[in-house]
Amino acid sequence: MTRIGFLALATALPGMALAESHMAEGGAALSYGERPFFLIDAMEEGALKDKLMSCQGQTPERTAFSIAHRGAPLMIPEHTKQSYVAGARQGAGIVECDVTFTADHELVCRHAQNDLATTTDILVTDLAGKCTTGFTPAGEGADAGAECRTSDLTLAEFRTLSPKMDASDASAATPEEFQGGTAPWRTDLYVAGAELMTHAESIALIDSLGADFTPELKAASVEMPHEGFSQEDYAQKMIDEYKDAGIDPSRVWAQSFDLDDIKYWIENEPEFGAQAVYLDDRYEAEDDDEGLIDPNDPSTFKPTMQELADLGLTYIAPPMWMLVTTDEAGGIVPSAYAEEAKAAGLEIITWTLERSGPLAEGGGWYFQSVSEAIDDDGDTYAMLDALAQDVGVTGVFSDWPATVTYYANCVGL
């Protein structure tokens, strides 16, 4: 049987399958838009392109294989109401809110506790004086910069900010100039009117859109415990907001880069811990080289995949490049890391497609292990196909979920 033939046999895992009612719910009609077709047109001729071309008339369906990474931040400010709606409209079955906290320990959706200087207008508001580190202009070889944390503000103050695309102008002489810097392959077209969200508000919105949830508990920029608010309090509060909203645990994939958070959920909230997702970042260990993972050398996997599985872990989520390498013919194939994870019975989710910008120069950080096989935007689907078919990932985060939704719908995932 050909590789494409195998695609018809693919089925969603029980834990990742959306309930039938959620497939039909949601006030927004699903739409692929133009981007999947732009990428397909750019592909090299072959069986995969032919298969994807054959699906141009299909009706979009929501799929849990497609995960909205911060919403749809390729074009819309991340972690905003509008970005989440766009991700759901593109058929993402799961939508991500990165979770951090304010000075009064309220949970809000931000990629990092200290990213307000680049993701909001705080530096040009009266709240600029509350930033951990105020604006410093560029000069004498140093870039312009500032550090503004959600923990610098109360929830009421946070709500007054206006979101923007995550960007800054390193050459800025003023806070106003620092607001720029949006990459040319992104856009500021959809910034006006974008709205920040609390974690609880994101739950209500995503539920209303017919999608499920993958909140990520972000590392605090402040020392923990913070004014009596411990790491365990933080991890528990995130779960409590789903319980308070009446969300079935089977619809929640709680994420963290901190293995201790995963252990906490497994031990204290087993229904939620059963689907907890360990975001594996051992590729950038800081303490010593023994913590660094070589994706093609299982002896560096400390803890090993089997040890992670023995903890009760079900899902592991490394970046895309950790899961693939190239063979002698230059094709994209599974890495030893991917093979070991599957052998231990771990399910794999990966990140992040559509985050690297144009792929003409090898795809950057997210494609670093297969850069020699990446030379244009059409290779977005070559990478996705290798992850889905050869690695066997359960889901893929994307900054523009329609790309993954189209593929999943076409091949029957």
Side-chain angles (χ1 to χ4, degrees), residues 250-307:
S250 68
R251 297 178 60 199
V252 182
W253 286 263
Q255 312 171 71
S256 180
F257 280 106
D258 188 338
L259 192 55
D260 286 339
D261 293 336
I262 305 296
K263 293 177 182 177
Y264 176 84
W265 291 324
I266 290 172
E267 293 170 5
N268 295 279
E269 289 288 352
E271 289 187 294
F272 289 89
Q275 294 193 158
V277 181
Y278 175 41
L279 298 163
D280 193 353
D281 66 346
R282 290 177 288 167
Y283 53 83
E284 57 179 22
E286 296 178 356
D287 293 336
D288 55 65
D289 287 346
E290 291 185 2
L292 293 171
I293 281 182
D294 175 349
N296 289 307
D297 182 0
S299 70
T300 68
F301 303 167
K302 301 174 181 178
T304 67
M305 298 299 175
Q306 189 58 56
E307 287 171 338

Side-chain angles (χ1 to χ4, degrees), residues 3 11 16-17 58 89 102 218 337 373 385 400:
R3 183 185 199 191
T11 57
M16 292 293 287
Q58 69 186 359
R89 283 177 175 165
T102 60
K218 303 301 295 190
Y337 179 100
D385 188 53
W400 201 246

Side-chain angles (χ1 to χ4, degrees), residues 100-133:
T100 188
F101 59 85
T102 60
D104 44 355
H105 301 148
E106 296 298 328
L107 303 187
V108 296
C109 298
R110 288 287 88 198
H111 176 64
Q113 190 168 51
N114 63 347
D115 72 2
L116 295 182
T118 61
T119 64
T120 75
D121 66 345
I122 188 171
L123 291 178
V124 294
T125 74
D126 292 340
L127 293 172
K130 291 202 166 191
C131 290
T132 296
T133 304

Side-chain angles (χ1 to χ4, degrees), residues 4-338:
I4 295 299
F6 278 113
L7 294 172
L9 302 178
T11 57
L13 292 165
M16 292 293 287
L18 292 173
E20 183 176 348
S21 61
H22 296 134
M23 295 290 288
E25 289 176 0
L30 304 189
S31 173
Y32 293 131
E34 180 59 27
R35 185 155 182 80
F37 307 106
F38 167 80
L39 297 174
I40 294 167
D41 286 343
M43 293 177 67
E44 294 181 2
E45 298 300 325
L48 179 60
K49 181 173 183 176
D50 291 344
K51 174 62 178 176
L52 294 177
M53 289 286 285
S54 74
C55 296
Q56 291 185 76
Q58 69 186 359
T59 300
E61 293 185 10
R62 193 173 308 287
T63 168
F65 188 79
S66 178
I67 306 173
H69 181 242
R70 315 185 199 179
L74 182 67
M75 299 186 189
I76 301 172
E78 64 187 44
H79 294 309
T80 61
K81 176 181 179 180
Q82 290 72 18
S83 195
Y84 293 153
V85 170
R89 283 177 175 165
Q90 292 172 37
I94 303 173
V95 179
E96 179 189 47
C97 165
D98 288 329
V99 178
T100 188
F101 59 85
T102 60
D104 44 355
H105 301 148
E106 296 298 328
L107 303 187
V108 296
C109 298
R110 288 287 88 198
H111 176 64
Q113 190 168 51
N114 63 347
D115 72 2
L116 295 182
T118 61
T119 64
T120 75
D121 66 345
I122 188 171
L123 291 178
V124 294
T125 74
D126 292 340
L127 293 172
K130 291 202 166 191
C131 290
T132 296
T133 304
F135 175 74
T136 302
E140 298 183 0
D143 291 341
E147 183 181 5
C148 305
R149 301 172 177 174
T150 57
S151 54
D152 293 332
L153 309 177
T154 65
L155 177 58
E157 290 168 332
F158 173 80
R159 289 187 182 278
T160 69
L161 301 176
S162 295
K164 68 182 191 67
M165 294 297 283
D166 185 8
S168 61
D169 184 347
S171 66
T174 67
E176 289 74 17
E177 292 176 355
F178 192 72
Q179 303 304 293
T182 301
W185 43 272
R186 294 185 183 269
T187 181
D188 291 316
L189 187 61
Y190 304 109
V191 170
E195 303 166 65
L196 298 175
M197 300 204 80
T198 67
H199 177 235
E201 289 167 347
S202 80
I203 294 172
L205 174 65
I206 294 166
D207 188 37
S208 75
L209 294 168
D212 289 343
F213 316 87
T214 186
E216 179 188 338
L217 194 73
K218 303 301 295 190
S221 297
V222 295
E223 185 176 350
M224 297 293 278
H226 178 257
E227 298 180 359
F229 189 59
S230 69
Q231 185 67 27
E232 292 77 13
D233 293 335
Y234 181 27
Q236 186 63 53
K237 184 166 185 173
M238 189 181 85
I239 298 302
D240 285 345
E241 294 199 342
Y242 289 94
K243 295 166 74 173
D244 292 345
I247 301 299
D248 191 301
S250 68
R251 297 178 60 199
V252 182
W253 286 263
Q255 312 171 71
S256 180
F257 280 106
D258 188 338
L259 192 55
D260 286 339
D261 293 336
I262 305 296
K263 293 177 182 177
Y264 176 84
W265 291 324
I266 290 172
E267 293 170 5
N268 295 279
E269 289 288 352
E271 289 187 294
F272 289 89
Q275 294 193 158
V277 181
Y278 175 41
L279 298 163
D280 193 353
D281 66 346
R282 290 177 288 167
Y283 53 83
E284 57 179 22
E286 296 178 356
D287 293 336
D288 55 65
D289 287 346
E290 291 185 2
L292 293 171
I293 281 182
D294 175 349
N296 289 307
D297 182 0
S299 70
T300 68
F301 303 167
K302 301 174 181 178
T304 67
M305 298 299 175
Q306 189 58 56
E307 287 171 338
L308 291 173
D310 290 344
L311 292 173
L313 185 71
T314 301
Y315 292 95
I316 193 167
M320 297 188 302
W321 66 267
M322 292 274 290
L323 296 171
V324 288
T325 186
T326 53
D327 59 18
E328 292 182 359
I332 301 173
V333 296
S335 66
Y337 179 100

